[in-house]
Amino acid sequence: MSKDQTTATGLPAYITEGDDGSLAVDLVRGLEISGAKVTKLKFREPTLDDQLVSQKVGENADAEVALLANLAEISPDDLRAIKMRDYARLQVALNFFYG
């Protein structure tokens, strides 16, 4: 299976769903967080409150960055350094949460 093919859950092969509903996303370029290169980010399943709080941060992209950073338990500033190819993967994971 290539990295872009979907699994039985409908997720691309670069996203793994945990038993708790979390999603782990393999990154192509990786991201530096606190001086360490990270090649996978894990996102807990969001609650409605997560969505509402992120919308208070701002519109569209700012709210999405705030939500993703919160779910991955990293700072929004760290997330803003991510390469677009990897950010697109995070958006796929986020869209999966929305069903």
Side-chain angles (χ1 to χ4, degrees):
M1 178 182 301
S2 82
K3 63 182 176 183
D4 294 326
Q5 289 180 314
T6 57
T7 62
T9 62
L11 288 166
Y14 59 81
I15 300 176
T16 307
E17 185 175 12
D19 292 338
D20 60 354
S22 64
L23 297 178
V25 181
D26 293 326
L27 305 176
V28 176
R29 303 303 250 172
L31 179 65
E32 192 166 308
I33 299 175
S34 300
K37 185 164 185 172
V38 175
T39 58
K40 181 180 283 203
L41 286 176
K42 182 177 178 182
F43 298 88
R44 65 175 174 76
E45 189 169 7
T47 64
L48 175 58
D49 193 53
D50 290 321
Q51 179 69 32
L52 296 173
V53 168
S54 72
Q55 289 174 345
K56 291 178 183 176
V57 170
E59 301 277 332
N60 302 324
D62 286 333
E64 186 174 270
V65 167
L67 178 59
L68 286 167
N70 182 35
L71 299 179
E73 299 179 351
I74 63 174
S75 78
D77 287 339
D78 285 336
L79 187 57
R80 284 186 183 95
I82 199 167
K83 302 297 183 198
M84 285 305 298
R85 171 179 358 189
D86 284 332
Y87 190 72
R89 287 181 170 208
L90 304 187
Q91 289 176 312
V92 170
L94 185 58
N95 285 333
F96 181 79
F97 283 133
Y98 290 125

Coordinates of all heavy atoms in Angstrom, one line a residue:
M1 N 0.8 -1.2 0.0 CA 0.0 0.0 0.0 C 0.9 1.2 0.0 O 1.8 1.4 0.8 CB -0.9 0.0 1.3 CG -1.8 1.2 1.4 SD -2.8 1.2 2.9 CE -3.7 -0.3 2.7
S2 N 0.7 2.1 -0.9 CA 1.5 3.4 -1.0 C 1.0 4.3 0.1 O -0.1 4.1 0.7 CB 1.4 4.1 -2.3 OG 0.2 4.8 -2.4
K3 N 1.8 5.3 0.5 CA 1.5 6.2 1.6 C 0.2 7.0 1.3 O -0.3 7.6 2.3 CB 2.7 7.1 1.9 CG 3.0 8.0 0.7 CD 4.2 8.9 1.1 CE 4.6 9.7 -0.2 NZ 5.8 10.5 0.0
D4 N -0.2 7.1 0.1 CA -1.4 7.9 -0.2 C -2.7 7.1 -0.3 O -3.8 7.7 -0.5 CB -1.2 8.7 -1.5 CG -0.1 9.8 -1.3 OD1 0.0 10.3 -0.2 OD2 0.6 10.0 -2.3
Q5 N -2.6 5.8 -0.3 CA -3.8 4.9 -0.4 C -4.5 5.0 0.9 O -4.0 5.3 2.0 CB -3.4 3.5 -0.7 CG -2.9 3.3 -2.1 CD -2.5 1.9 -2.4 OE1 -1.8 1.2 -1.6 NE2 -3.0 1.3 -3.5
T6 N -5.8 4.7 0.8 CA -6.6 4.7 2.0 C -6.7 3.4 2.7 O -6.5 2.3 2.1 CB -8.1 5.2 1.7 OG1 -8.6 4.3 0.7 CG2 -8.1 6.6 1.2
T7 N -6.9 3.4 4.0 CA -7.0 2.2 4.8 C -8.5 1.8 4.9 O -9.4 2.5 4.4 CB -6.4 2.4 6.2 OG1 -7.2 3.4 6.8 CG2 -5.0 2.8 6.1
A8 N -8.8 0.7 5.6 CA -10.2 0.3 5.8 C -11.1 1.4 6.5 O -12.3 1.4 6.3 CB -10.2 -1.0 6.6
T9 N -10.4 2.3 7.3 CA -11.2 3.3 7.9 C -11.5 4.5 7.0 O -12.2 5.4 7.4 CB -10.4 3.9 9.1 OG1 -9.1 4.4 8.7 CG2 -10.1 2.8 10.2
G10 N -10.9 4.5 5.8 CA -11.1 5.6 4.9 C -10.0 6.6 5.0 O -10.0 7.6 4.3
L11 N -9.1 6.4 5.9 CA -7.9 7.3 6.2 C -6.8 7.0 5.2 O -6.6 5.8 4.9 CB -7.5 7.2 7.6 CG -8.4 7.8 8.7 CD1 -7.9 7.4 10.1 CD2 -8.4 9.3 8.6
P12 N -6.0 8.0 4.8 CA -4.8 7.7 4.1 C -3.8 6.9 5.0 O -3.9 7.0 6.2 CB -4.2 9.1 3.8 CG -5.3 10.1 4.0 CD -6.2 9.4 5.0
A13 N -2.9 6.2 4.4 CA -2.0 5.3 5.1 C -1.1 6.1 6.0 O -0.6 5.5 7.0 CB -1.2 4.5 4.1
Y14 N -0.9 7.4 5.8 CA -0.1 8.2 6.7 C -0.8 8.7 8.0 O -0.2 9.3 8.8 CB 0.5 9.4 6.0 CG -0.5 10.4 5.4 CD1 -1.1 11.3 6.1 CD2 -0.8 10.3 4.0 CE1 -2.0 12.2 5.6 CE2 -1.7 11.2 3.4 CZ -2.3 12.1 4.2 OH -3.2 13.0 3.7
I15 N -2.1 8.3 8.2 CA -2.8 8.6 9.4 C -3.3 7.3 10.0 O -3.9 6.4 9.4 CB -4.0 9.5 9.1 CG1 -3.6 10.8 8.4 CG2 -4.8 9.7 10.3 CD1 -4.8 11.7 8.0
T16 N -3.0 7.2 11.3 CA -3.4 6.0 12.1 C -4.4 6.4 13.2 O -4.1 7.4 13.9 CB -2.2 5.3 12.7 OG1 -1.2 5.1 11.7 CG2 -2.5 4.1 13.4
E17 N -5.5 5.7 13.2 CA -6.5 6.0 14.3 C -6.2 5.1 15.5 O -6.1 3.9 15.4 CB -7.9 5.7 13.7 CG -9.0 6.1 14.7 CD -10.4 6.0 14.2 OE1 -10.6 5.4 13.1 OE2 -11.3 6.5 14.8
G18 N -6.2 5.7 16.7 CA -6.0 5.0 17.9 C -7.3 4.5 18.5 O -8.4 5.0 18.0
D19 N -7.3 3.6 19.4 CA -8.5 3.1 20.0 C -9.3 4.1 20.7 O -10.5 4.0 20.9 CB -8.2 1.9 21.0 CG -7.6 0.7 20.3 OD1 -7.9 0.5 19.1 OD2 -6.9 -0.1 21.0
D20 N -8.7 5.2 21.2 CA -9.3 6.3 21.9 C -9.9 7.4 20.9 O -10.4 8.4 21.4 CB -8.4 6.9 22.9 CG -7.1 7.5 22.2 OD1 -6.9 7.3 21.0 OD2 -6.3 8.2 22.9
G21 N -9.8 7.1 19.6 CA -10.3 8.1 18.6 C -9.2 9.1 18.2 O -9.5 10.0 17.4
S22 N -8.0 9.0 18.8 CA -7.0 10.0 18.4 C -6.5 9.6 17.0 O -6.7 8.5 16.6 CB -5.8 9.9 19.4 OG -5.2 8.6 19.4
L23 N -5.8 10.5 16.4 CA -5.2 10.3 15.1 C -3.7 10.6 15.2 O -3.3 11.7 15.7 CB -5.9 11.1 14.0 CG -7.3 10.9 13.7 CD1 -7.9 11.8 12.7 CD2 -7.6 9.4 13.3
A24 N -2.9 9.8 14.6 CA -1.4 10.0 14.5 C -1.1 10.3 13.1 O -1.5 9.5 12.2 CB -0.6 8.8 15.1
V25 N -0.5 11.4 12.8 CA -0.2 11.8 11.4 C 1.3 11.7 11.2 O 2.1 12.4 11.9 CB -0.7 13.2 11.1 CG1 -0.4 13.6 9.7 CG2 -2.2 13.3 11.4
D26 N 1.8 10.9 10.2 CA 3.2 10.9 9.8 C 3.4 12.1 8.9 O 2.7 12.4 8.0 CB 3.5 9.7 9.0 CG 3.4 8.4 9.8 OD1 3.7 8.4 11.0 OD2 3.0 7.4 9.2
L27 N 4.5 12.9 9.3 CA 4.9 14.1 8.5 C 5.9 13.8 7.5 O 6.8 13.0 7.7 CB 5.4 15.1 9.5 CG 4.4 15.5 10.7 CD1 5.1 16.5 11.6 CD2 3.1 16.0 10.1
V28 N 5.9 14.5 6.4 CA 6.9 14.3 5.3 C 8.1 15.0 5.7 O 9.2 14.4 5.6 CB 6.3 14.8 4.0 CG1 7.4 14.7 2.9 CG2 5.0 14.1 3.6
R29 N 8.0 16.3 6.0 CA 9.2 17.1 6.3 C 9.5 17.2 7.8 O 10.7 17.5 8.2 CB 9.0 18.5 5.8 CG 8.6 18.6 4.3 CD 9.7 18.0 3.5 NE 10.4 19.0 2.8 CZ 11.5 18.8 2.1 NH1 12.0 17.6 2.0 NH2 12.0 19.7 1.4
G30 N 8.6 16.9 8.6 CA 8.8 17.0 10.1 C 8.7 18.4 10.6 O 8.5 19.4 9.8
L31 N 8.8 18.6 11.8 CA 8.6 19.9 12.5 C 9.5 19.9 13.7 O 9.7 18.9 14.4 CB 7.2 20.0 12.9 CG 6.7 21.2 13.7 CD1 6.8 22.4 12.8 CD2 5.2 21.0 14.1
E32 N 10.2 21.1 13.9 CA 11.1 21.2 15.1 C 10.3 21.8 16.2 O 9.7 22.9 16.1 CB 12.3 22.1 14.8 CG 13.3 22.0 15.9 CD 14.6 22.6 15.5 OE1 15.1 22.2 14.4 OE2 15.1 23.4 16.2
I33 N 10.2 21.1 17.3 CA 9.5 21.5 18.6 C 10.5 21.4 19.7 O 11.0 20.3 20.0 CB 8.3 20.7 18.8 CG1 7.3 20.8 17.6 CG2 7.6 21.1 20.1 CD1 6.1 19.9 17.7
S34 N 10.8 22.5 20.4 CA 11.7 22.6 21.5 C 13.1 22.0 21.2 O 13.6 21.2 22.0 CB 11.1 21.9 22.7 OG 9.9 22.5 23.1
G35 N 13.5 22.2 20.0 CA 14.9 21.8 19.5 C 14.9 20.3 19.0 O 16.0 19.9 18.6
A36 N 13.8 19.6 19.0 CA 13.8 18.2 18.6 C 12.9 18.1 17.3 O 11.9 18.7 17.2 CB 13.2 17.3 19.7
K37 N 13.4 17.3 16.4 CA 12.7 17.1 15.1 C 11.6 16.1 15.4 O 11.9 15.0 15.9 CB 13.5 16.7 14.0 CG 12.8 16.6 12.7 CD 13.6 16.5 11.5 CE 12.8 16.5 10.3 NZ 13.6 16.7 9.1
V38 N 10.4 16.4 15.1 CA 9.2 15.6 15.2 C 8.7 15.1 13.9 O 8.6 16.0 13.0 CB 8.1 16.3 16.0 CG1 6.8 15.5 16.1 CG2 8.5 16.8 17.4
T39 N 8.5 13.8 13.7 CA 8.1 13.3 12.4 C 6.7 12.7 12.4 O 6.2 12.2 11.4 CB 9.1 12.2 11.9 OG1 9.1 11.2 12.8 CG2 10.4 12.8 11.6
K40 N 6.1 12.8 13.6 CA 4.7 12.3 13.8 C 4.0 13.2 14.8 O 4.6 13.5 15.8 CB 4.7 10.9 14.2 CG 3.3 10.3 14.4 CD 3.3 8.8 14.8 CE 3.7 8.0 13.6 NZ 3.2 6.6 13.7
L41 N 2.8 13.6 14.5 CA 2.0 14.3 15.5 C 0.8 13.5 15.8 O 0.1 13.0 15.0 CB 1.6 15.7 15.0 CG 2.6 16.8 14.9 CD1 2.1 18.1 14.3 CD2 3.2 17.1 16.3
K42 N 0.4 13.5 17.1 CA -0.8 12.8 17.6 C -1.8 13.8 18.0 O -1.5 14.8 18.8 CB -0.5 11.9 18.7 CG -1.7 11.1 19.2 CD -1.3 10.1 20.3 CE -2.5 9.4 20.8 NZ -2.2 8.4 21.9
F43 N -3.0 13.7 17.5 CA -4.1 14.6 17.9 C -5.2 13.8 18.6 O -5.7 12.8 18.1 CB -4.7 15.2 16.6 CG -3.8 16.0 15.8 CD1 -2.9 15.4 14.8 CD2 -3.6 17.3 16.0 CE1 -2.0 16.1 14.1 CE2 -2.7 18.1 15.3 CZ -1.9 17.4 14.3
R44 N -5.6 14.4 19.8 CA -6.7 13.8 20.5 C -8.0 14.1 19.8 O -8.0 15.1 19.0 CB -6.7 14.2 22.0 CG -7.0 15.7 22.1 CD -7.1 16.0 23.6 NE -7.2 17.5 23.8 CZ -8.3 18.2 23.6 NH1 -9.4 17.6 23.1 NH2 -8.3 19.5 23.7
E45 N -9.0 13.4 20.0 CA -10.3 13.7 19.3 C -10.9 14.9 20.0 O -10.9 15.1 21.2 CB -11.3 12.5 19.5 CG -12.5 12.6 18.7 CD -13.4 11.4 18.7 OE1 -13.0 10.4 19.4 OE2 -14.4 11.4 18.0
P46 N -11.3 15.9 19.1 CA -11.8 17.2 19.7 C -13.2 17.1 20.3 O -13.9 16.2 19.9 CB -11.8 18.1 18.4 CG -11.9 17.2 17.3 CD -11.2 15.9 17.7
T47 N -13.4 18.0 21.2 CA -14.7 18.1 21.8 C -15.4 19.4 21.1 O -14.7 20.2 20.5 CB -14.7 18.4 23.3 OG1 -14.0 19.6 23.5 CG2 -14.0 17.2 24.0
L48 N -16.7 19.5 21.3 CA -17.3 20.7 20.9 C -16.7 22.0 21.5 O -16.5 23.0 20.8 CB -18.8 20.7 21.2 CG -19.6 21.9 20.8 CD1 -19.5 22.2 19.3 CD2 -21.1 21.7 21.2
D49 N -16.3 21.9 22.7 CA -15.7 23.0 23.4 C -14.4 23.4 22.7 O -14.1 24.6 22.6 CB -15.5 22.7 24.9 CG -15.1 24.0 25.7 OD1 -15.9 25.0 25.6 OD2 -14.1 24.0 26.3
D50 N -13.6 22.4 22.3 CA -12.4 22.7 21.5 C -12.7 23.6 20.3 O -12.0 24.6 20.0 CB -11.7 21.5 21.1 CG -11.1 20.6 22.2 OD1 -10.5 21.2 23.1 OD2 -11.2 19.4 22.1
Q51 N -13.7 23.2 19.6 CA -14.1 24.0 18.4 C -14.6 25.4 18.8 O -14.2 26.3 18.1 CB -15.3 23.2 17.7 CG -15.8 23.9 16.5 CD -14.8 23.9 15.3 OE1 -14.0 23.0 15.2 NE2 -14.8 24.9 14.5
L52 N -15.4 25.5 19.8 CA -15.9 26.8 20.2 C -14.8 27.7 20.7 O -14.7 28.9 20.3 CB -16.9 26.7 21.3 CG -18.2 25.9 20.8 CD1 -19.1 25.7 22.0 CD2 -18.9 26.7 19.8
V53 N -13.8 27.2 21.5 CA -12.7 28.0 21.9 C -11.8 28.5 20.8 O -11.4 29.6 20.7 CB -11.9 27.2 23.0 CG1 -10.6 27.9 23.3 CG2 -12.7 27.0 24.3
S54 N -11.6 27.6 19.8 CA -10.7 27.9 18.7 C -11.3 29.1 17.9 O -10.6 29.9 17.3 CB -10.4 26.7 17.8 OG -11.5 26.3 17.1
Q55 N -12.7 29.1 17.8 CA -13.3 30.1 17.0 C -13.2 31.5 17.6 O -13.3 32.5 17.0 CB -14.8 29.8 16.8 CG -15.0 28.6 15.8 CD -16.4 28.2 15.7 OE1 -17.3 28.5 16.5 NE2 -16.7 27.3 14.7
K56 N -13.0 31.5 18.9 CA -12.8 32.8 19.6 C -11.4 33.4 19.3 O -11.2 34.6 19.5 CB -12.9 32.6 21.1 CG -14.3 32.3 21.6 CD -14.4 32.1 23.1 CE -15.8 31.7 23.4 NZ -15.9 31.3 24.9
V57 N -10.5 32.6 18.8 CA -9.1 33.0 18.5 C -9.1 33.9 17.3 O -8.4 34.9 17.2 CB -8.2 31.8 18.3 CG1 -6.8 32.2 17.8 CG2 -8.0 31.1 19.6
G58 N -10.0 33.6 16.3 CA -10.0 34.3 15.1 C -10.8 33.6 14.0 O -11.6 32.7 14.3
E59 N -10.5 34.0 12.8 CA -11.3 33.5 11.7 C -10.4 32.4 11.0 O -9.2 32.5 11.0 CB -11.6 34.7 10.7 CG -12.4 35.8 11.3 CD -13.8 35.5 11.2 OE1 -14.3 34.7 10.3 OE2 -14.5 36.0 12.1
N60 N -11.1 31.5 10.4 CA -10.6 30.5 9.4 C -9.2 30.0 9.8 O -9.1 29.1 10.7 CB -10.5 31.1 8.0 CG -11.9 31.6 7.6 OD1 -12.9 30.9 7.9 ND2 -12.0 32.6 6.8
A61 N -8.1 30.4 9.2 CA -6.8 29.8 9.4 C -6.3 29.9 10.8 O -5.8 29.0 11.4 CB -5.8 30.4 8.4
D62 N -6.5 31.1 11.4 CA -6.1 31.2 12.8 C -6.8 30.3 13.8 O -6.2 29.7 14.7 CB -6.3 32.7 13.3 CG -5.3 33.7 12.7 OD1 -4.1 33.2 12.3 OD2 -5.6 34.8 12.5
A63 N -8.1 30.1 13.5 CA -8.9 29.2 14.4 C -8.5 27.8 14.2 O -8.4 27.0 15.1 CB -10.4 29.4 14.1
E64 N -8.2 27.4 12.9 CA -7.8 26.1 12.6 C -6.4 25.8 13.2 O -6.2 24.7 13.8 CB -7.7 25.9 11.1 CG -7.4 24.5 10.7 CD -7.5 24.3 9.2 OE1 -8.6 23.9 8.7 OE2 -6.5 24.5 8.5
V65 N -5.5 26.7 13.1 CA -4.1 26.5 13.7 C -4.3 26.4 15.3 O -3.7 25.5 15.9 CB -3.2 27.7 13.4 CG1 -1.9 27.7 14.3 CG2 -2.8 27.6 11.9
A66 N -5.1 27.2 15.9 CA -5.3 27.1 17.3 C -5.9 25.8 17.7 O -5.5 25.1 18.7 CB -6.2 28.3 17.8
L67 N -6.9 25.3 16.9 CA -7.5 24.0 17.2 C -6.5 22.9 17.1 O -6.4 22.0 17.9 CB -8.7 23.8 16.3 CG -9.4 22.5 16.5 CD1 -10.0 22.3 17.9 CD2 -10.6 22.4 15.5
L68 N -5.8 22.8 16.0 CA -4.8 21.8 15.7 C -3.7 21.7 16.8 O -3.3 20.7 17.3 CB -4.2 21.9 14.3 CG -5.1 21.4 13.2 CD1 -4.6 21.9 11.8 CD2 -5.4 19.9 13.2
A69 N -3.2 22.9 17.1 CA -2.2 23.0 18.1 C -2.7 22.5 19.5 O -2.0 21.7 20.2 CB -1.7 24.4 18.3
N70 N -3.9 22.9 19.8 CA -4.5 22.4 21.1 C -4.6 20.9 21.1 O -4.3 20.2 22.1 CB -5.8 23.1 21.3 CG -6.5 22.7 22.6 OD1 -5.9 22.5 23.6 ND2 -7.8 22.6 22.6
L71 N -5.1 20.3 20.0 CA -5.3 18.9 20.0 C -4.0 18.1 20.0 O -4.0 17.0 20.5 CB -6.1 18.5 18.7 CG -7.5 19.1 18.6 CD1 -8.2 18.7 17.3 CD2 -8.4 18.7 19.8
A72 N -3.0 18.7 19.5 CA -1.7 18.0 19.5 C -0.8 18.4 20.7 O 0.3 17.9 20.9 CB -0.9 18.4 18.2
E73 N -1.4 19.3 21.5 CA -0.7 19.8 22.7 C 0.7 20.4 22.4 O 1.7 20.1 23.1 CB -0.6 18.7 23.8 CG -2.0 18.2 24.2 CD -2.0 17.1 25.2 OE1 -0.9 16.5 25.5 OE2 -3.1 16.7 25.7
I74 N 0.7 21.2 21.4 CA 1.9 22.0 21.1 C 1.5 23.5 21.0 O 0.3 23.8 20.9 CB 2.6 21.5 19.8 CG1 1.6 21.7 18.6 CG2 3.0 20.1 19.9 CD1 2.3 21.4 17.2
S75 N 2.4 24.4 20.9 CA 2.1 25.8 20.8 C 1.7 26.1 19.3 O 2.2 25.6 18.4 CB 3.2 26.7 21.2 OG 4.2 26.8 20.2
P76 N 0.8 27.1 19.2 CA 0.4 27.5 17.8 C 1.7 28.1 17.1 O 1.8 27.9 15.9 CB -0.6 28.7 18.0 CG -1.2 28.3 19.3 CD -0.1 27.7 20.2
D77 N 2.6 28.7 17.8 CA 3.8 29.2 17.1 C 4.7 28.1 16.6 O 5.2 28.2 15.5 CB 4.7 30.0 18.1 CG 4.0 31.4 18.4 OD1 3.2 31.9 17.6 OD2 4.4 32.0 19.4
D78 N 4.7 27.0 17.3 CA 5.5 25.8 16.8 C 4.8 25.3 15.5 O 5.4 24.9 14.5 CB 5.6 24.7 17.8 CG 6.6 24.9 18.9 OD1 7.5 25.7 18.6 OD2 6.4 24.4 20.0
L79 N 3.5 25.2 15.6 CA 2.7 24.7 14.4 C 2.8 25.6 13.2 O 2.9 25.1 12.1 CB 1.2 24.5 14.8 CG 0.4 23.8 13.7 CD1 0.9 22.4 13.4 CD2 -1.1 23.7 14.2
R80 N 3.0 26.8 13.4 CA 3.1 27.8 12.2 C 4.3 27.6 11.4 O 4.4 28.0 10.3 CB 3.0 29.2 12.7 CG 1.6 29.6 13.1 CD 1.5 31.1 13.4 NE 0.2 31.5 13.8 CZ -0.2 31.5 15.1 NH1 0.6 31.3 16.1 NH2 -1.5 31.8 15.4
A81 N 5.3 26.9 12.0 CA 6.6 26.6 11.2 C 6.5 25.3 10.3 O 7.4 25.0 9.6 CB 7.7 26.4 12.2
I82 N 5.3 24.7 10.4 CA 5.2 23.4 9.6 C 5.1 23.7 8.1 O 4.6 24.8 7.7 CB 3.9 22.7 10.0 CG1 4.0 21.2 9.6 CG2 2.6 23.3 9.5 CD1 2.9 20.3 10.3
K83 N 5.7 22.8 7.3 CA 5.7 23.0 5.8 C 4.2 22.7 5.4 O 3.5 21.9 5.9 CB 6.6 22.0 5.2 CG 8.1 22.2 5.6 CD 8.6 23.5 5.3 CE 10.1 23.7 5.7 NZ 10.5 25.0 5.7
M84 N 3.9 23.3 4.3 CA 2.5 23.2 3.8 C 2.1 21.8 3.4 O 1.0 21.4 3.6 CB 2.3 24.1 2.6 CG 2.1 25.6 2.9 SD 0.8 25.9 4.2 CE -0.6 25.4 3.3
R85 N 3.0 21.0 2.9 CA 2.7 19.6 2.5 C 2.3 18.9 3.8 O 1.4 18.1 3.8 CB 4.0 19.0 1.9 CG 3.9 17.6 1.7 CD 5.1 17.0 1.1 NE 6.2 17.8 0.7 CZ 7.3 17.4 0.0 NH1 7.3 16.2 -0.5 NH2 8.2 18.2 -0.3
D86 N 3.0 19.1 4.9 CA 2.6 18.5 6.2 C 1.3 19.1 6.7 O 0.5 18.3 7.3 CB 3.7 18.6 7.2 CG 4.9 17.6 6.9 OD1 4.6 16.5 6.3 OD2 6.0 17.9 7.3
Y87 N 1.1 20.3 6.6 CA -0.1 21.0 7.1 C -1.3 20.4 6.4 O -2.4 20.2 7.0 CB 0.0 22.5 6.9 CG -1.2 23.2 7.6 CD1 -1.2 23.3 9.0 CD2 -2.2 23.8 6.9 CE1 -2.2 23.9 9.7 CE2 -3.3 24.4 7.6 CZ -3.3 24.4 9.0 OH -4.3 25.0 9.6
A88 N -1.2 20.1 5.1 CA -2.3 19.5 4.3 C -2.7 18.2 4.9 O -3.8 17.8 5.0 CB -1.9 19.4 2.9
R89 N -1.7 17.4 5.4 CA -2.0 16.2 6.0 C -2.7 16.4 7.3 O -3.6 15.6 7.6 CB -0.7 15.4 6.3 CG 0.0 14.8 5.1 CD 1.2 14.1 5.4 NE 1.7 13.4 4.2 CZ 2.4 12.2 4.2 NH1 2.7 11.7 5.4 NH2 2.7 11.6 3.1
L90 N -2.4 17.4 8.1 CA -3.1 17.7 9.3 C -4.6 18.1 9.0 O -5.5 17.7 9.8 CB -2.4 18.8 10.1 CG -0.9 18.6 10.5 CD1 -0.5 19.8 11.4 CD2 -0.7 17.3 11.1
Q91 N -4.8 18.8 7.9 CA -6.1 19.2 7.5 C -7.0 18.0 7.2 O -8.1 17.9 7.5 CB -6.1 20.2 6.4 CG -5.6 21.5 6.8 CD -5.5 22.5 5.6 OE1 -4.9 22.1 4.6 NE2 -6.0 23.7 5.8
V92 N -6.4 17.0 6.6 CA -7.1 15.7 6.2 C -7.5 15.1 7.5 O -8.7 14.6 7.7 CB -6.2 14.8 5.4 CG1 -6.8 13.4 5.3 CG2 -5.9 15.4 4.0
A93 N -6.6 15.0 8.5 CA -7.0 14.4 9.8 C -8.1 15.2 10.5 O -9.0 14.6 11.0 CB -5.7 14.4 10.7
L94 N -8.0 16.5 10.5 CA -9.0 17.3 11.1 C -10.4 17.1 10.4 O -11.4 17.0 11.1 CB -8.6 18.8 11.0 CG -9.6 19.8 11.7 CD1 -9.7 19.5 13.2 CD2 -9.1 21.2 11.5
N95 N -10.4 17.0 9.1 CA -11.6 16.8 8.4 C -12.2 15.4 8.7 O -13.4 15.2 8.8 CB -11.4 16.9 6.9 CG -11.3 18.3 6.4 OD1 -11.8 19.2 7.1 ND2 -10.5 18.6 5.4
F96 N -11.4 14.4 9.0 CA -11.9 13.1 9.4 C -12.6 13.2 10.7 O -13.7 12.6 10.9 CB -10.7 12.1 9.5 CG -11.1 10.7 9.9 CD1 -11.7 9.9 9.0 CD2 -11.0 10.3 11.3 CE1 -12.1 8.6 9.4 CE2 -11.4 9.0 11.6 CZ -11.9 8.2 10.7
F97 N -12.1 14.1 11.7 CA -12.8 14.2 12.9 C -14.2 14.8 12.7 O -15.1 14.5 13.5 CB -12.1 15.2 13.8 CG -10.9 14.6 14.5 CD1 -9.6 15.3 14.5 CD2 -10.9 13.4 15.2 CE1 -8.5 14.7 15.2 CE2 -9.8 12.8 15.8 CZ -8.6 13.5 15.8
Y98 N -14.4 15.6 11.7 CA -15.7 16.2 11.4 C -16.7 15.2 10.7 O -17.9 15.5 10.5 CB -15.6 17.5 10.6 CG -15.0 18.6 11.3 CD1 -13.8 19.2 10.8 CD2 -15.5 19.0 12.5 CE1 -13.3 20.3 11.5 CE2 -14.9 20.1 13.2 CZ -13.8 20.7 12.7 OH -13.3 21.8 13.4
G99 N -16.2 14.0 10.4 CA -17.0 13.0 9.9 C -17.5 13.2 8.5 O -18.5 12.8 8.0

